[in-house]
Amino acid sequence: MSATTSPADSSTATGGPTTTTTPTTSTSTAAATVTNAIVKTVEAIISSTAPAASQSPSPSPSGFSTPTQSPTSSSTPTTTASMGGPEEKLSVQDLSQTLQHFGVVDYLVFIAMLAVCAVIGVYFGFIEKKQKAKKKGQLAGKDGAGAAGVEERRGSEALDYLVGGRQMKVFPVALSLVASFVSGISLLGTSTEIYVYGTQYAFILVTLAISGAISWYIFLPVFCNLQLTSTYEYFEMRFNKSVRLLGSALFTCSNLIWLPIVIFVPALAFNQVTGINIHVITPIVCVICIFYTTAGGLKAVVWTDVIQTIVMVFAIFFVIIKGTMDVGGLGVVIQRNFDSGRLEWPEMTFDPKVRMSMIAMMLGNVGQFAYQLGCNQIIIQRYNSLPGKKEMAQTSFIFIVGLTVLNAVCLYNGLLLYATYYDCDPLTTKLAVAKDQLVPLLVVQSLSSFPGVPGMFVAGVFSAALSSLSTGLNSLAAVFLEDYIKPLRKKPMTEHEVAITVRLCTVIIGVLSVGLVFVVERMGTHVMQLSMTVGAIVNGPLMGLFVMGLLIPSINSKSALLGTVVSFFFMAWLCLSAQMAVTSGEMQWETKPVSTDGCTYEFERPLVTPANVTIPKAEQAPLSFGEEIYHVSFMFYSLIGSAVAVVVAQLAGFFFGRNDPKDVDPDLLSPCIRRFYKTNYATVQLEENTLTNFNDKC
């Protein structure tokens, strides 16, 4: 189409500026008409088959590519209404529609990823099950009832579906953990965080290593030794059934909040590159995920995670390598971010209202991640699918290293975003409608000339989301079965009843999560902060409950129950008040400066706030006591919820009494607390699986 033709192209098409032929005869008029028609036809064919190639092989800093634009030129792509006609700037709406091009190869790559996941579900749900049934029959015939009985226990429906028969391998489980923890929230939200607020969040790489060590030496020894299908069975062993039910309910609420956010993120990316409504693509992709999770259980989830992790890593590395080359190299990326003030450490302050301070990262973030890596049902369920402690230790090391590397790549991608759009901010011009569409925009502008690469990137983002979704569905099914359904049954469930129940739970939770995407869409902030803010309503109290159980043996069940309930209501008030304050504009954080000076397309300029100025905060009236509380950094939320639960429980001990620490089973306490007991740490045996003891020393 002529809309993508530059001035030089227009000049060439008409015979060049030195040719001044005047059409004085009908022959010349006809020739011009034919030439015009041929040019338009060729341009239409080119733009419909490879628009990125016709625009340019490399992006300009202004946000799109043009083959004839010099590095210092501020000229715009032009629309030639007729040969030699007037030139007009391309509008942001037209440019956005031009960039929404998802070719046939891209769709094939995306569909191939979904097809592979579905095939894996079919294999573990149907083919492998038949093979195991055949093998069990052969064992019964050859070795008698004893061997068949052991195989039956190892291959029981709940054990096989929820923890893979406890016979999974190290590397697949480690990749599954990485894929589950690095959702689309991390792939898109982390990069957006760096682009908007700078590199303060990069300190997460240090806190991940610290959190991993804390989780392995304090939390994981207890749960890995107990080998519980549902982590919240621990609360019944340490406290009572009421506390167990409360813990399970909090986990359920947490995941029902988290899963819709996980689904919403890749839908944004898909919408950016294709223009397809998120409410169309979300149900289609989620049906595939629900299918393979329902059919194949944990084994299908783990092996699809492996495939999805490979796709995700390859896609993100391709993006940063190509993007770095396009802007001029690593030095350019660093220099542009340094000049804008984005390269900085977390602020050294004790003010808890500062969004990203060093103390917020070291206390709030470390506490949050230590809980997530050491007490989360999703994580522990993966560890319990391994046969022993040695395999768990190896998996934990690979998991933390992989998580750190992938987060580092996402952080660098945020720097690359600014280096690419340093003089034409897509958020100001509305080329990117939402903050978390910045990375997809970079992909379609820099990689659309490579057939299949945008499709691979979208497949990678969806892979991250699907791995988190499938993991959440499988873990919730385990909790529903073990904590809600089995305790209500007066007699044990048969294998057939277990099979039907866990699959039905998976389907119901999946459908509910898809429906809640409509709610997430209207919650108005970028996804990383949203997930941490809203999730803290339940993660904080739940973290406090685990701390009380594992580290404070004097707290009894009544005190723990009261402390957790009070913490839940307090965090609900704090998080919802903070979210409303963000939505209303009451709470605002200073963002890094951006510019639109180099934009080469038309857009609606803000009436008051120029794009290249960071507005200082206006003078505000003194905050009330309540405002002081919910204005604290969202990095502290989980830690605050945990602290409230523990403090209230300790105070409740004056009314409900306290445990004698000697009456608490030392197997239910962290090794760092257990070492003060003379009793040796007993081995825990579950059916035929026995794990060796963890050291009583930290």
Side-chain angles (χ1 to χ4, degrees), residues 669-685:
L669 301 175
S670 170
C672 289
I673 301 299
R674 191 190 309 135
R675 70 178 181 173
F676 295 105
Y677 291 82
K678 294 182 179 180
T679 306
N680 290 326
Y681 182 41
T683 299
V684 178
Q685 183 170 341

Side-chain angles (χ1 to χ4, degrees), residues 235 238-240 243 545 548-549 552-564 649-650 652-660 664:
F235 290 135
R238 171 65 174 85
F239 298 113
N240 57 27
V243 179
L545 193 54
M548 288 185 276
I552 312 177
S554 62
I555 293 180
N556 60 27
S557 57
K558 291 181 179 179
S559 298
L561 196 64
L562 179 62
T564 306
Q650 289 282 31
F654 292 107
F655 300 94
F656 299 127
R658 302 182 187 275
N659 288 333
D660 184 345
V664 178

Side-chain angles (χ1 to χ4, degrees), residues 107-124:
Y107 278 110
L108 290 177
V109 170
F110 181 69
I111 293 171
M113 185 271 293
L114 296 179
V116 169
C117 295
V119 169
I120 292 174
V122 170
Y123 174 78
F124 286 107

Side-chain angles (χ1 to χ4, degrees), residues 17 65 98 146 155 295 331 356 423 471 529 550 635:
S65 305
T98 302
M356 287 280 177
D423 64 349
T471 298
Q529 181 173 329
L550 292 164
M635 303 295 291

Side-chain angles (χ1 to χ4, degrees), residues 582-660:
V582 171
T583 304
S584 66
E586 175 189 337
M587 286 177 62
Q588 295 182 359
W589 296 276
E590 183 177 347
T591 60
K592 295 302 178 183
V594 293
S595 172
T596 57
D597 292 342
C599 292
T600 56
Y601 53 88
E602 287 287 355
F603 63 93
E604 184 177 350
R605 297 181 181 274
L607 297 177
V608 178
T609 306
N612 59 350
V613 175
T614 300
I615 300 299
K617 292 182 179 179
E619 291 294 329
Q620 296 180 349
L623 299 177
S624 66
F625 179 73
E627 290 173 335
E628 288 280 356
I629 294 176
Y630 70 73
H631 275 67
V632 300
S633 169
F634 66 95
M635 303 295 291
F636 284 113
Y637 285 173
S638 292
L639 189 65
I640 291 174
S642 175
V644 169
V646 172
V647 169
V648 172
Q650 289 282 31
L651 294 176
F654 292 107
F655 300 94
F656 299 127
R658 302 182 187 275
N659 288 333
D660 184 345

